[in-house]
Amino acid sequence: MSQTLAIIKPDAVAAGNAGNIIALLERAGFTVKALTFTSLTAKQAGAFYAVHAGRPFYDELVEFMMSGPVIPMALEAENAVPKLRDAIGATDPAEAAEGTVRKLYAESKGRNAIHASDSDENAANEIGFFFSGHGRLAVG
Ligand code: CMP
């Protein structure tokens, strides 16, 4: 078993799709190990996406991620990182496969409903960004 981090983004929370997204992920075989409902500050959103600093979409991404509440979750499954990326679909919903979170709930490349870690190393860092041990919150 391994873990990965998902964040239900502000567009999906505001649209009332969070429950359906969590249900879809549970049906896909993930167990929710930690979950919180929070709003990111500019500093937190900027730090979380620091790897994208300097990309043309960075400012828009940070602005969007602090535009409303988000739901970060630590999810567990076998091969959790690739399994979650399969379940959420391509970054651009126009390219996402049928039945994926982004096909069902994303509006655009930017407003794309959900984030997922892209490697085991990033998953560990990203889970640590929001949660410290046994689901206790690390954000402040
Ligand atoms: P996410 O999986 O959260 O990781 C990085 C995010 O950057 C990605 O989802 C998209 O929301 C965002 N992103 C990537 N490319 C673009 C783009 N061309 N325009 C706007 N946002 C983008």
Side-chain angles (χ1 to χ4, degrees):
M1 285 290 174
S2 58
Q3 294 191 359
T4 187
L5 184 90
I7 305 175
I8 302 177
K9 294 186 177 183
D11 57 327
V13 175
N17 290 325
N20 285 333
I21 291 172
I22 294 167
L24 186 158
L25 296 175
E26 288 183 328
R27 274 201 307 276
F30 290 96
T31 303
V32 177
K33 303 300 285 188
L35 178 153
T36 187
F37 182 90
T38 188
S39 293
L40 300 181
T41 63
K43 206 170 156 185
Q44 288 166 340
F48 184 82
Y49 281 116
V51 65
H52 295 300
R55 308 270 293 267
F57 57 83
Y58 178 71
D59 289 348
E60 186 187 317
L61 176 61
V62 169
E63 191 74 25
F64 168 58
M65 289 302 287
M66 49 181 291
S67 67
V70 293
I71 303 178
M73 301 180 278
L75 299 174
E76 188 170 88
E78 260 178 53
N79 298 313
V81 168
K83 186 179 168 74
L84 183 61
R85 294 189 75 81
D86 281 353
I88 74 172
T91 303
D92 184 346
E95 293 165 14
E98 290 298 329
T100 59
V101 174
R102 285 169 171 163
K103 179 70 176 185
L104 289 165
Y105 301 113
E107 295 169 28
S108 64
K109 242 186 202 177
R111 299 171 62 83
N112 66 354
I114 190 164
H115 165 85
S117 308
D118 64 3
S119 67
D120 284 337
E121 189 187 353
N122 284 342
N125 289 335
E126 293 180 359
I127 290 169
F129 186 93
F130 289 104
F131 307 106
S132 64
H134 306 292
R136 295 229 310 276
L137 293 187
V139 282

PDB file of all heavy atoms in Angstrom, residues 113-137:
ATOM      1  N   ALA A 113     -10.682  21.037 -11.108  1.00  0.00           N
ATOM      2  CA  ALA A 113     -11.380  20.233 -10.081  1.00  0.00           C
ATOM      3  C   ALA A 113     -10.508  19.552  -9.037  1.00  0.00           C
ATOM      4  O   ALA A 113     -10.905  19.433  -7.882  1.00  0.00           O
ATOM      5  CB  ALA A 113     -12.308  19.187 -10.727  1.00  0.00           C
ATOM      6  N   ILE A 114      -9.326  19.051  -9.437  1.00  0.00           N
ATOM      7  CA  ILE A 114      -8.573  18.223  -8.488  1.00  0.00           C
ATOM      8  C   ILE A 114      -7.090  18.259  -8.811  1.00  0.00           C
ATOM      9  O   ILE A 114      -6.692  18.399  -9.975  1.00  0.00           O
ATOM     10  CB  ILE A 114      -9.123  16.769  -8.507  1.00  0.00           C
ATOM     11  CG1 ILE A 114      -8.548  15.922  -7.358  1.00  0.00           C
ATOM     12  CG2 ILE A 114      -8.897  16.117  -9.865  1.00  0.00           C
ATOM     13  CD1 ILE A 114      -9.327  14.639  -7.083  1.00  0.00           C
ATOM     14  N   HIS A 115      -6.277  18.173  -7.768  1.00  0.00           N
ATOM     15  CA  HIS A 115      -4.821  18.014  -7.910  1.00  0.00           C
ATOM     16  C   HIS A 115      -4.449  16.618  -7.435  1.00  0.00           C
ATOM     17  O   HIS A 115      -5.074  16.087  -6.517  1.00  0.00           O
ATOM     18  CB  HIS A 115      -4.093  19.042  -7.033  1.00  0.00           C
ATOM     19  CG  HIS A 115      -2.633  18.720  -6.844  1.00  0.00           C
ATOM     20  ND1 HIS A 115      -1.676  19.100  -7.752  1.00  0.00           N
ATOM     21  CD2 HIS A 115      -1.995  18.023  -5.868  1.00  0.00           C
ATOM     22  CE1 HIS A 115      -0.499  18.644  -7.332  1.00  0.00           C
ATOM     23  NE2 HIS A 115      -0.659  18.002  -6.199  1.00  0.00           N
ATOM     24  N   ALA A 116      -3.414  16.035  -8.043  1.00  0.00           N
ATOM     25  CA  ALA A 116      -2.874  14.764  -7.556  1.00  0.00           C
ATOM     26  C   ALA A 116      -1.351  14.810  -7.624  1.00  0.00           C
ATOM     27  O   ALA A 116      -0.787  15.351  -8.580  1.00  0.00           O
ATOM     28  CB  ALA A 116      -3.388  13.609  -8.401  1.00  0.00           C
ATOM     29  N   SER A 117      -0.696  14.235  -6.640  1.00  0.00           N
ATOM     30  CA  SER A 117       0.771  14.160  -6.629  1.00  0.00           C
ATOM     31  C   SER A 117       1.259  13.408  -7.862  1.00  0.00           C
ATOM     32  O   SER A 117       0.592  12.487  -8.337  1.00  0.00           O
ATOM     33  CB  SER A 117       1.269  13.418  -5.393  1.00  0.00           C
ATOM     34  OG  SER A 117       0.708  13.954  -4.220  1.00  0.00           O
ATOM     35  N   ASP A 118       2.459  13.787  -8.360  1.00  0.00           N
ATOM     36  CA  ASP A 118       2.952  13.153  -9.592  1.00  0.00           C
ATOM     37  C   ASP A 118       4.093  12.163  -9.373  1.00  0.00           C
ATOM     38  O   ASP A 118       4.599  11.596 -10.342  1.00  0.00           O
ATOM     39  CB  ASP A 118       3.339  14.220 -10.627  1.00  0.00           C
ATOM     40  CG  ASP A 118       4.485  15.087 -10.165  1.00  0.00           C
ATOM     41  OD1 ASP A 118       5.034  14.841  -9.068  1.00  0.00           O
ATOM     42  OD2 ASP A 118       4.847  16.012 -10.911  1.00  0.00           O
ATOM     43  N   SER A 119       4.518  11.953  -8.123  1.00  0.00           N
ATOM     44  CA  SER A 119       5.545  10.932  -7.843  1.00  0.00           C
ATOM     45  C   SER A 119       5.426  10.550  -6.366  1.00  0.00           C
ATOM     46  O   SER A 119       4.821  11.291  -5.574  1.00  0.00           O
ATOM     47  CB  SER A 119       6.953  11.490  -8.117  1.00  0.00           C
ATOM     48  OG  SER A 119       7.247  12.519  -7.180  1.00  0.00           O
ATOM     49  N   ASP A 120       6.021   9.409  -5.994  1.00  0.00           N
ATOM     50  CA  ASP A 120       5.978   9.002  -4.583  1.00  0.00           C
ATOM     51  C   ASP A 120       6.677  10.029  -3.699  1.00  0.00           C
ATOM     52  O   ASP A 120       6.234  10.322  -2.588  1.00  0.00           O
ATOM     53  CB  ASP A 120       6.648   7.628  -4.406  1.00  0.00           C
ATOM     54  CG  ASP A 120       5.753   6.491  -4.886  1.00  0.00           C
ATOM     55  OD1 ASP A 120       4.518   6.669  -4.942  1.00  0.00           O
ATOM     56  OD2 ASP A 120       6.299   5.422  -5.216  1.00  0.00           O
ATOM     57  N   GLU A 121       7.784  10.581  -4.212  1.00  0.00           N
ATOM     58  CA  GLU A 121       8.537  11.578  -3.433  1.00  0.00           C
ATOM     59  C   GLU A 121       7.682  12.828  -3.207  1.00  0.00           C
ATOM     60  O   GLU A 121       7.602  13.347  -2.088  1.00  0.00           O
ATOM     61  CB  GLU A 121       9.823  11.931  -4.187  1.00  0.00           C
ATOM     62  CG  GLU A 121      10.768  12.791  -3.383  1.00  0.00           C
ATOM     63  CD  GLU A 121      11.958  13.262  -4.199  1.00  0.00           C
ATOM     64  OE1 GLU A 121      12.120  12.821  -5.360  1.00  0.00           O
ATOM     65  OE2 GLU A 121      12.714  14.107  -3.671  1.00  0.00           O
ATOM     66  N   ASN A 122       7.047  13.314  -4.276  1.00  0.00           N
ATOM     67  CA  ASN A 122       6.187  14.495  -4.116  1.00  0.00           C
ATOM     68  C   ASN A 122       4.972  14.179  -3.255  1.00  0.00           C
ATOM     69  O   ASN A 122       4.495  15.035  -2.506  1.00  0.00           O
ATOM     70  CB  ASN A 122       5.751  15.046  -5.479  1.00  0.00           C
ATOM     71  CG  ASN A 122       6.875  15.801  -6.159  1.00  0.00           C
ATOM     72  OD1 ASN A 122       7.843  16.211  -5.514  1.00  0.00           O
ATOM     73  ND2 ASN A 122       6.768  15.977  -7.465  1.00  0.00           N
ATOM     74  N   ALA A 123       4.464  12.957  -3.354  1.00  0.00           N
ATOM     75  CA  ALA A 123       3.314  12.572  -2.525  1.00  0.00           C
ATOM     76  C   ALA A 123       3.679  12.696  -1.044  1.00  0.00           C
ATOM     77  O   ALA A 123       2.916  13.262  -0.253  1.00  0.00           O
ATOM     78  CB  ALA A 123       2.880  11.150  -2.858  1.00  0.00           C
ATOM     79  N   ALA A 124       4.854  12.191  -0.677  1.00  0.00           N
ATOM     80  CA  ALA A 124       5.275  12.265   0.730  1.00  0.00           C
ATOM     81  C   ALA A 124       5.422  13.726   1.159  1.00  0.00           C
ATOM     82  O   ALA A 124       4.964  14.125   2.243  1.00  0.00           O
ATOM     83  CB  ALA A 124       6.591  11.512   0.922  1.00  0.00           C
ATOM     84  N   ASN A 125       6.031  14.550   0.298  1.00  0.00           N
ATOM     85  CA  ASN A 125       6.194  15.973   0.631  1.00  0.00           C
ATOM     86  C   ASN A 125       4.842  16.679   0.732  1.00  0.00           C
ATOM     87  O   ASN A 125       4.615  17.501   1.626  1.00  0.00           O
ATOM     88  CB  ASN A 125       7.041  16.676  -0.437  1.00  0.00           C
ATOM     89  CG  ASN A 125       8.492  16.253  -0.359  1.00  0.00           C
ATOM     90  OD1 ASN A 125       8.968  15.834   0.694  1.00  0.00           O
ATOM     91  ND2 ASN A 125       9.197  16.351  -1.475  1.00  0.00           N
ATOM     92  N   GLU A 126       3.959  16.377  -0.217  1.00  0.00           N
ATOM     93  CA  GLU A 126       2.665  17.078  -0.264  1.00  0.00           C
ATOM     94  C   GLU A 126       1.753  16.632   0.885  1.00  0.00           C
ATOM     95  O   GLU A 126       1.007  17.442   1.437  1.00  0.00           O
ATOM     96  CB  GLU A 126       2.001  16.853  -1.626  1.00  0.00           C
ATOM     97  CG  GLU A 126       2.782  17.538  -2.738  1.00  0.00           C
ATOM     98  CD  GLU A 126       2.173  17.358  -4.122  1.00  0.00           C
ATOM     99  OE1 GLU A 126       1.134  16.676  -4.254  1.00  0.00           O
ATOM    100  OE2 GLU A 126       2.739  17.918  -5.081  1.00  0.00           O
ATOM    101  N   ILE A 127       1.812  15.351   1.259  1.00  0.00           N
ATOM    102  CA  ILE A 127       1.039  14.913   2.431  1.00  0.00           C
ATOM    103  C   ILE A 127       1.590  15.624   3.665  1.00  0.00           C
ATOM    104  O   ILE A 127       0.827  16.124   4.503  1.00  0.00           O
ATOM    105  CB  ILE A 127       1.079  13.374   2.583  1.00  0.00           C
ATOM    106  CG1 ILE A 127       0.266  12.722   1.459  1.00  0.00           C
ATOM    107  CG2 ILE A 127       0.528  12.950   3.953  1.00  0.00           C
ATOM    108  CD1 ILE A 127       0.437  11.209   1.350  1.00  0.00           C
ATOM    109  N   GLY A 128       2.908  15.728   3.749  1.00  0.00           N
ATOM    110  CA  GLY A 128       3.542  16.427   4.874  1.00  0.00           C
ATOM    111  C   GLY A 128       3.214  17.913   4.900  1.00  0.00           C
ATOM    112  O   GLY A 128       3.216  18.537   5.962  1.00  0.00           O
ATOM    113  N   PHE A 129       2.945  18.483   3.733  1.00  0.00           N
ATOM    114  CA  PHE A 129       2.596  19.907   3.661  1.00  0.00           C
ATOM    115  C   PHE A 129       1.292  20.172   4.424  1.00  0.00           C
ATOM    116  O   PHE A 129       1.146  21.200   5.093  1.00  0.00           O
ATOM    117  CB  PHE A 129       2.430  20.311   2.185  1.00  0.00           C
ATOM    118  CG  PHE A 129       2.209  21.780   1.941  1.00  0.00           C
ATOM    119  CD1 PHE A 129       3.273  22.627   1.681  1.00  0.00           C
ATOM    120  CD2 PHE A 129       0.925  22.315   1.959  1.00  0.00           C
ATOM    121  CE1 PHE A 129       3.068  23.979   1.455  1.00  0.00           C
ATOM    122  CE2 PHE A 129       0.714  23.666   1.729  1.00  0.00           C
ATOM    123  CZ  PHE A 129       1.797  24.503   1.473  1.00  0.00           C
ATOM    124  N   PHE A 130       0.332  19.252   4.311  1.00  0.00           N
ATOM    125  CA  PHE A 130      -0.984  19.455   4.939  1.00  0.00           C
ATOM    126  C   PHE A 130      -1.177  18.687   6.237  1.00  0.00           C
ATOM    127  O   PHE A 130      -1.930  19.131   7.108  1.00  0.00           O
ATOM    128  CB  PHE A 130      -2.104  19.051   3.973  1.00  0.00           C
ATOM    129  CG  PHE A 130      -2.272  20.003   2.825  1.00  0.00           C
ATOM    130  CD1 PHE A 130      -1.812  19.675   1.569  1.00  0.00           C
ATOM    131  CD2 PHE A 130      -2.863  21.243   3.026  1.00  0.00           C
ATOM    132  CE1 PHE A 130      -1.951  20.562   0.506  1.00  0.00           C
ATOM    133  CE2 PHE A 130      -3.006  22.131   1.978  1.00  0.00           C
ATOM    134  CZ  PHE A 130      -2.555  21.798   0.711  1.00  0.00           C
ATOM    135  N   PHE A 131      -0.554  17.527   6.357  1.00  0.00           N
ATOM    136  CA  PHE A 131      -0.831  16.652   7.497  1.00  0.00           C
ATOM    137  C   PHE A 131       0.473  16.176   8.120  1.00  0.00           C
ATOM    138  O   PHE A 131       1.421  15.875   7.412  1.00  0.00           O
ATOM    139  CB  PHE A 131      -1.616  15.406   7.047  1.00  0.00           C
ATOM    140  CG  PHE A 131      -2.871  15.723   6.273  1.00  0.00           C
ATOM    141  CD1 PHE A 131      -2.911  15.533   4.899  1.00  0.00           C
ATOM    142  CD2 PHE A 131      -4.001  16.217   6.903  1.00  0.00           C
ATOM    143  CE1 PHE A 131      -4.055  15.816   4.166  1.00  0.00           C
ATOM    144  CE2 PHE A 131      -5.154  16.512   6.180  1.00  0.00           C
ATOM    145  CZ  PHE A 131      -5.182  16.309   4.812  1.00  0.00           C
ATOM    146  N   SER A 132       0.500  16.108   9.438  1.00  0.00           N
ATOM    147  CA  SER A 132       1.676  15.544  10.088  1.00  0.00           C
ATOM    148  C   SER A 132       1.228  14.378  10.948  1.00  0.00           C
ATOM    149  O   SER A 132       0.411  14.565  11.844  1.00  0.00           O
ATOM    150  CB  SER A 132       2.372  16.609  10.942  1.00  0.00           C
ATOM    151  OG  SER A 132       1.536  17.004  11.980  1.00  0.00           O
ATOM    152  N   GLY A 133       1.695  13.175  10.643  1.00  0.00           N
ATOM    153  CA  GLY A 133       1.355  11.982  11.417  1.00  0.00           C
ATOM    154  C   GLY A 133      -0.128  11.821  11.692  1.00  0.00           C
ATOM    155  O   GLY A 133      -0.809  12.779  11.926  1.00  0.00           O
ATOM    156  N   HIS A 134      -0.689  10.682  11.536  1.00  0.00           N
ATOM    157  CA  HIS A 134      -2.050  10.342  11.981  1.00  0.00           C
ATOM    158  C   HIS A 134      -3.086  11.405  11.651  1.00  0.00           C
ATOM    159  O   HIS A 134      -4.018  11.641  12.419  1.00  0.00           O
ATOM    160  CB  HIS A 134      -2.062  10.038  13.477  1.00  0.00           C
ATOM    161  CG  HIS A 134      -1.067   8.991  13.847  1.00  0.00           C
ATOM    162  ND1 HIS A 134      -1.195   7.673  13.453  1.00  0.00           N
ATOM    163  CD2 HIS A 134       0.113   9.080  14.493  1.00  0.00           C
ATOM    164  CE1 HIS A 134      -0.145   6.999  13.880  1.00  0.00           C
ATOM    165  NE2 HIS A 134       0.667   7.823  14.496  1.00  0.00           N
ATOM    166  N   GLY A 135      -2.907  12.094  10.521  1.00  0.00           N
ATOM    167  CA  GLY A 135      -3.950  13.009  10.069  1.00  0.00           C
ATOM    168  C   GLY A 135      -3.991  14.345  10.794  1.00  0.00           C
ATOM    169  O   GLY A 135      -4.869  15.148  10.541  1.00  0.00           O
ATOM    170  N   ARG A 136      -3.023  14.590  11.697  1.00  0.00           N
ATOM    171  CA  ARG A 136      -3.030  15.897  12.371  1.00  0.00           C
ATOM    172  C   ARG A 136      -2.650  16.975  11.351  1.00  0.00           C
ATOM    173  O   ARG A 136      -1.817  16.771  10.479  1.00  0.00           O
ATOM    174  CB  ARG A 136      -2.044  15.912  13.538  1.00  0.00           C
ATOM    175  CG  ARG A 136      -2.433  14.944  14.634  1.00  0.00           C
ATOM    176  CD  ARG A 136      -2.415  15.576  16.018  1.00  0.00           C
ATOM    177  NE  ARG A 136      -1.165  16.299  16.295  1.00  0.00           N
ATOM    178  CZ  ARG A 136      -0.065  15.713  16.745  1.00  0.00           C
ATOM    179  NH1 ARG A 136      -0.018  14.419  16.950  1.00  0.00           N
ATOM    180  NH2 ARG A 136       0.997  16.439  17.000  1.00  0.00           N
ATOM    181  N   LEU A 137      -3.261  18.145  11.472  1.00  0.00           N
ATOM    182  CA  LEU A 137      -3.051  19.195  10.466  1.00  0.00           C
ATOM    183  C   LEU A 137      -1.672  19.828  10.593  1.00  0.00           C
ATOM    184  O   LEU A 137      -1.206  20.125  11.675  1.00  0.00           O
ATOM    185  CB  LEU A 137      -4.104  20.309  10.627  1.00  0.00           C
ATOM    186  CG  LEU A 137      -5.531  19.897  10.314  1.00  0.00           C
ATOM    187  CD1 LEU A 137      -6.433  21.118  10.337  1.00  0.00           C
ATOM    188  CD2 LEU A 137      -5.596  19.228   8.956  1.00  0.00           C
TER     189      LEU A 137
END
